[in-house]
Amino acid sequence: MSFNKNNPNPMGKIMGYLKQLSTEMGASEQSRRGQQDEERLYRSRGPKYARVPSKPTLSASTTCTSLATSCGSQGTLVPNYATIPEIVSTESSSEDEQDSFEKTRRHFQQLRQISLGNEFKYKMEMEIKSAKEENLRNSIPFVKQLSTESNRVKTDYTINGDTQPYGPTTQRLYLWTQIFAAFAVSMGSLIVGFSSGYTSPALPSMNRTLTITNEENSWIGGLMPLAALVGGIAGGPLIEYIGRRLTIMCTALPFFLGWMLIANAMNVYMVLAGRALCGVCVGIGSLAFPVYLGETIQPEVRGALGLLPTAFGNTGILLAFFAGTYLNWSHLAFLGAALPVPFFLLMILTPETPRWYVTKGRAEDARKALQWLRGKNINIDKEMRDLTRSQAESDLTSTGNAFGQLFSRKYLPAVLISLGLMLFQQLSGINAVIFYASTIFQMAGSSLDENLCSIIIGIVNFISTFIATAIIDRLGRKMLLYISSVSMIVTLVALGSYFYVREVGTDVSSYGWLPLACLVIYVLGFSIGFGPIPWLMLGEILPSRIRGTAASMATGFNWTCTFIVTKSFHNIIAAINMYGTVWLFAVLCVIGLFFVIFFVPETRGKSLEEIEKKLTGGSRRVRNLNSNKSNQNGC
């Protein structure tokens, strides 16, 4: 007997109704249980993890059915609710009744989905509103913090190696303190230049007052470079033991005594003694000035302010020339004796370099000196950490005395670069050209007066240094060395060709302007590159541990090359003629150009710590040393 509600048998019809009722009750219980599980899962997740619809707004015209369908298809809103299962009858029934039952089931499903969609939409809108209010509450303190910090003065403490190395400085106090320190040191360079230019205007009037032979005349001019060689050798230990600032200050007294001996000289021996004292001070100052400026000035202005001593040195030469036209040798020496007084007073107001304090373990003095140089409103913590870290690495990786470390594998590249720059600076022939400019113009048969040509070259040498000061931090050291080398090579080749053509008997009277033009461009090129940059880089590329000793050796080497080139100039001319001598200088400038290309590093915008790490290996060596120590301890 079949159990069906359409069965004419009463018992079968009752059993069919009971079967259908039990099936519907089981389905609704299953749906209800699924819905409760989903609501419990929703409550456990909370609004923090509630998913937000992919569209920002919900249109009011959107029906709940389409909302549920679309969101369900995107997988962002409505969970998959259990559908009402179909009731499959075990008895045969008419097609009309089956269609009616199917329509009733689909209608009930739609009504249920609409009610659930409205409920879910309402919950979703409330969660979005709550999230917006929470975000607003959280953003209020942050907005207040931004508005408060925007009114504070923001300073840039970054140095090279950070995101933006050494941004443009806007602190006037910070700039003025460093300019003041550079100006004070450059006053000493003014005395050096005055000492170099003194003999040219003073010797004619001195010969009329004192009885001086030609040999004594040569010693008055040549004694200063020899004494500067001695001062350069002695200056290295001095700047290491008593400090950079105190060493520079101590040169003021010998300068004063030397000039007073010359001014009150009764014989030539007093003049020679005064020139010797001044020469020793010139040698000490020529190495102490770049070291002091390299350790006190920030990289963004170190190029411009580092060339200030060279500019003041050329100013001292011109001051001696112009004052010598109105004063005799004694009065001119009194003027020289007056120059160390403001120099000494200015140096009293400047601090010692922070790096020297760090090398001596005086961290608090280093902080005070660095704060004075950078300005009282500048945060110096990062720079102090770099200074102490660099010194710690140097102490950890270095053993033995400083002189024994000069040619060690670690420090040899920096030392050789410094010596190479000094060598090619003098092998370019600049001192021979400057000292014998009048002789060169006489040998060239120039149509211009040789004294006027010498004055023009001196003025060009003076102006070109200020040009280099203005562009060195924009173009960089290597670019200026490239320009300097190329300009010297071209002008020396042209000048040598002029002498060669004149030597073979060709008429060059229509080209009488060429020697002056070549020498002017030659001096201009030298003065913007190979003239000041080797001295500037002397205080940049030498590591802190050997800086004093290495600078002393490089300075002594420079003065030795100066003496050799100047002394042998006439002998070289006698051996290979004037054109051969000029071409020899051109070949040496070509070699110097390749030396700069392959070996000289660019130091523009880099701190001394970064330059030292690049040349010596820095922290990598420390890591290797530490790892070796740890391995030994482990063993």
Side-chain angles (χ1 to χ4, degrees), residues 93-127:
S93 60
S94 63
E95 295 181 0
D96 293 338
E97 291 178 350
Q98 289 288 356
D99 292 341
S100 176
F101 181 76
E102 183 66 23
K103 291 179 179 179
T104 303
R105 188 188 65 80
R106 284 200 304 268
H107 180 66
F108 178 75
Q109 177 69 39
Q110 290 176 357
L111 292 178
R112 181 172 176 268
Q113 192 72 19
I114 289 173
S115 62
L116 293 175
N118 286 333
E119 180 183 0
F120 197 82
K121 176 184 176 183
Y122 174 76
K123 292 180 179 180
M124 181 194 66
E125 290 177 349
M126 293 301 295
E127 289 178 5

Coordinates of all heavy atoms in Angstrom, one line a residue, residues 93-127:
S93 N 1.9 11.8 -9.0 CA 0.9 12.9 -8.8 C 0.8 13.6 -10.1 O 1.6 13.5 -11.0 CB 1.4 13.9 -7.7 OG 2.6 14.4 -8.1
S94 N -0.2 14.4 -10.2 CA -0.5 15.1 -11.4 C 0.5 16.2 -11.6 O 1.1 16.7 -10.7 CB -1.9 15.6 -11.4 OG -2.0 16.6 -10.3
E95 N 0.8 16.6 -12.8 CA 1.7 17.7 -13.2 C 1.3 19.0 -12.6 O 2.1 19.9 -12.2 CB 1.9 17.8 -14.7 CG 2.5 16.5 -15.3 CD 2.7 16.7 -16.8 OE1 2.3 17.8 -17.3 OE2 3.2 15.8 -17.4
D96 N 0.0 19.3 -12.6 CA -0.5 20.6 -12.0 C -0.2 20.8 -10.6 O 0.3 21.8 -10.1 CB -2.0 20.7 -12.2 CG -2.4 20.8 -13.7 OD1 -1.4 21.2 -14.5 OD2 -3.5 20.5 -14.1
E97 N -0.4 19.7 -9.8 CA -0.1 19.8 -8.4 C 1.4 19.9 -8.2 O 1.8 20.7 -7.3 CB -0.6 18.5 -7.7 CG -2.1 18.4 -7.6 CD -2.6 17.2 -7.0 OE1 -1.7 16.3 -6.8 OE2 -3.8 17.1 -6.7
Q98 N 2.2 19.3 -9.0 CA 3.7 19.4 -8.8 C 4.1 20.8 -9.1 O 4.9 21.4 -8.4 CB 4.4 18.4 -9.7 CG 4.3 17.0 -9.3 CD 5.2 16.7 -8.1 OE1 5.9 17.6 -7.6 NE2 5.0 15.5 -7.6
D99 N 3.6 21.4 -10.2 CA 3.9 22.8 -10.6 C 3.5 23.8 -9.5 O 4.2 24.7 -9.1 CB 3.3 23.2 -11.9 CG 3.9 22.4 -13.0 OD1 5.0 21.9 -12.9 OD2 3.2 22.3 -14.1
S100 N 2.3 23.6 -8.9 CA 1.8 24.5 -7.9 C 2.7 24.4 -6.6 O 3.1 25.4 -6.0 CB 0.4 24.1 -7.5 OG -0.1 24.8 -6.4
F101 N 3.1 23.1 -6.3 CA 4.0 23.0 -5.1 C 5.4 23.6 -5.4 O 6.0 24.3 -4.5 CB 4.1 21.5 -4.8 CG 5.0 21.2 -3.6 CD1 4.5 21.5 -2.3 CD2 6.3 20.8 -3.8 CE1 5.3 21.2 -1.3 CE2 7.1 20.6 -2.7 CZ 6.6 20.8 -1.4
E102 N 5.9 23.5 -6.6 CA 7.2 24.1 -7.0 C 7.1 25.6 -6.9 O 8.0 26.3 -6.4 CB 7.6 23.7 -8.4 CG 9.0 24.2 -8.8 CD 10.1 23.6 -8.0 OE1 9.9 22.5 -7.4 OE2 11.2 24.2 -7.9
K103 N 6.0 26.2 -7.4 CA 5.9 27.7 -7.3 C 5.8 28.1 -5.9 O 6.4 29.2 -5.5 CB 4.6 28.1 -8.1 CG 4.8 27.9 -9.6 CD 3.5 28.4 -10.3 CE 3.6 28.2 -11.8 NZ 2.3 28.6 -12.4
T104 N 5.0 27.4 -5.0 CA 4.9 27.8 -3.6 C 6.3 27.7 -2.9 O 6.7 28.6 -2.1 CB 3.9 26.8 -2.9 OG1 2.7 26.9 -3.6 CG2 3.8 27.2 -1.5
R105 N 7.1 26.7 -3.3 CA 8.4 26.5 -2.7 C 9.3 27.7 -3.1 O 10.0 28.3 -2.2 CB 9.0 25.2 -3.1 CG 10.3 24.9 -2.3 CD 11.0 23.7 -2.9 NE 11.4 23.9 -4.3 CZ 12.5 24.6 -4.6 NH1 13.3 25.0 -3.7 NH2 12.8 24.7 -5.9
R106 N 9.3 28.1 -4.4 CA 10.2 29.2 -4.9 C 9.8 30.5 -4.3 O 10.6 31.3 -3.9 CB 10.1 29.2 -6.4 CG 11.0 28.1 -7.1 CD 11.3 28.5 -8.5 NE 10.1 28.8 -9.3 CZ 9.5 27.9 -10.0 NH1 9.9 26.6 -10.0 NH2 8.4 28.2 -10.6
H107 N 8.5 30.7 -4.1 CA 8.0 31.9 -3.5 C 8.4 32.1 -2.1 O 8.8 33.1 -1.6 CB 6.4 32.0 -3.6 CG 5.8 33.2 -3.0 ND1 6.0 34.5 -3.6 CD2 5.0 33.4 -2.0 CE1 5.4 35.4 -2.9 NE2 4.7 34.7 -1.8
F108 N 8.3 30.9 -1.3 CA 8.7 31.0 0.1 C 10.2 31.2 0.2 O 10.6 32.0 1.1 CB 8.3 29.6 0.7 CG 8.8 29.5 2.1 CD1 8.1 30.2 3.1 CD2 9.9 28.8 2.5 CE1 8.5 30.1 4.4 CE2 10.3 28.7 3.8 CZ 9.6 29.4 4.8
Q109 N 11.0 30.6 -0.8 CA 12.4 30.9 -0.8 C 12.8 32.3 -1.0 O 13.6 32.9 -0.4 CB 13.1 30.0 -1.8 CG 14.6 30.2 -2.0 CD 15.3 29.7 -0.8 OE1 15.0 28.6 -0.2 NE2 16.4 30.4 -0.4
Q110 N 12.0 33.0 -1.9 CA 12.3 34.4 -2.2 C 11.9 35.3 -1.0 O 12.7 36.2 -0.7 CB 11.5 34.8 -3.5 CG 12.0 34.2 -4.7 CD 11.1 34.5 -5.9 OE1 10.1 35.2 -5.8 NE2 11.5 34.1 -7.1
L111 N 10.8 35.0 -0.4 CA 10.4 35.8 0.8 C 11.5 35.7 1.9 O 11.8 36.6 2.6 CB 9.0 35.4 1.3 CG 7.9 35.7 0.3 CD1 6.5 35.1 0.9 CD2 7.7 37.2 0.1
R112 N 11.9 34.4 2.1 CA 12.9 34.2 3.1 C 14.2 34.9 2.8 O 14.9 35.6 3.7 CB 13.1 32.7 3.3 CG 14.2 32.3 4.3 CD 14.1 30.8 4.5 NE 15.2 30.4 5.4 CZ 16.4 30.0 5.1 NH1 16.7 30.1 3.8 NH2 17.3 29.6 5.9
Q113 N 14.6 34.9 1.6 CA 15.9 35.6 1.2 C 15.8 37.1 1.3 O 16.7 37.7 1.7 CB 16.2 35.2 -0.3 CG 17.6 35.5 -0.7 CD 18.7 34.7 -0.1 OE1 18.4 33.6 0.4 NE2 19.9 35.2 0.0
I114 N 14.6 37.6 1.0 CA 14.4 39.1 1.1 C 14.5 39.5 2.5 O 15.1 40.5 2.9 CB 13.0 39.5 0.5 CG1 13.1 39.3 -1.1 CG2 12.6 40.9 0.9 CD1 11.8 39.5 -1.8
S115 N 13.9 38.7 3.4 CA 13.9 39.1 4.8 C 15.3 39.0 5.4 O 15.8 39.9 6.1 CB 13.0 38.2 5.6 OG 13.4 36.9 5.5
L116 N 16.1 38.0 5.0 CA 17.4 37.9 5.4 C 18.3 39.0 4.8 O 19.2 39.5 5.5 CB 18.0 36.5 5.1 CG 17.4 35.3 5.8 CD1 18.0 34.0 5.2 CD2 17.6 35.4 7.3
G117 N 18.1 39.3 3.6 CA 18.8 40.4 2.9 C 18.6 41.8 3.6 O 19.6 42.5 3.8
N118 N 17.3 42.1 3.9 CA 17.1 43.3 4.6 C 17.8 43.4 6.0 O 18.4 44.4 6.4 CB 15.6 43.5 4.9 CG 14.9 43.8 3.6 OD1 15.5 44.4 2.7 ND2 13.6 43.5 3.5
E119 N 17.8 42.2 6.7 CA 18.4 42.2 8.0 C 20.0 42.4 7.8 O 20.6 43.2 8.6 CB 18.1 40.9 8.7 CG 18.8 40.7 10.0 CD 18.5 39.4 10.6 OE1 17.8 38.6 10.0 OE2 19.1 39.1 11.8
F120 N 20.6 41.7 6.8 CA 22.0 41.8 6.6 C 22.4 43.2 6.1 O 23.4 43.8 6.5 CB 22.5 40.8 5.6 CG 23.9 40.5 5.6 CD1 24.5 39.6 6.6 CD2 24.8 41.1 4.7 CE1 25.8 39.4 6.6 CE2 26.1 40.9 4.8 CZ 26.7 40.0 5.7
K121 N 21.6 43.8 5.3 CA 21.8 45.2 4.8 C 21.8 46.2 6.0 O 22.7 47.0 6.1 CB 20.8 45.5 3.8 CG 20.9 47.0 3.3 CD 19.8 47.3 2.3 CE 19.9 48.8 1.9 NZ 18.8 49.2 1.0
Y122 N 20.9 46.0 6.9 CA 20.8 46.9 8.0 C 22.0 46.8 8.9 O 22.6 47.8 9.3 CB 19.5 46.6 8.8 CG 19.4 47.4 10.1 CD1 19.0 48.8 10.0 CD2 19.7 46.8 11.3 CE1 19.0 49.5 11.2 CE2 19.6 47.5 12.5 CZ 19.2 48.9 12.4 OH 19.1 49.6 13.6
K123 N 22.4 45.5 9.2 CA 23.6 45.3 10.0 C 24.9 45.9 9.3 O 25.7 46.5 10.0 CB 23.8 43.8 10.3 CG 22.7 43.2 11.2 CD 23.0 41.8 11.4 CE 21.9 41.2 12.3 NZ 22.2 39.7 12.6
M124 N 24.9 45.7 8.0 CA 26.1 46.2 7.3 C 26.2 47.7 7.3 O 27.3 48.3 7.6 CB 26.1 45.7 5.8 CG 27.3 46.2 5.0 SD 26.9 46.0 3.2 CE 25.6 47.1 3.0
E125 N 25.1 48.4 7.1 CA 25.1 49.9 7.2 C 25.4 50.4 8.6 O 26.2 51.4 8.7 CB 23.7 50.4 6.8 CG 23.4 50.2 5.3 CD 22.0 50.7 4.9 OE1 21.2 50.9 5.9 OE2 21.7 50.7 3.7
M126 N 24.9 49.7 9.6 CA 25.3 50.1 11.0 C 26.8 49.9 11.2 O 27.4 50.8 11.9 CB 24.5 49.3 12.0 CG 23.0 49.6 11.9 SD 22.6 51.4 12.2 CE 23.1 51.5 13.9
E127 N 27.4 48.8 10.7 CA 28.8 48.6 10.9 C 29.6 49.7 10.2 O 30.6 50.1 10.7 CB 29.2 47.2 10.4 CG 28.6 46.1 11.4 CD 29.0 44.7 10.8 OE1 29.7 44.7 9.8 OE2 28.5 43.8 11.4

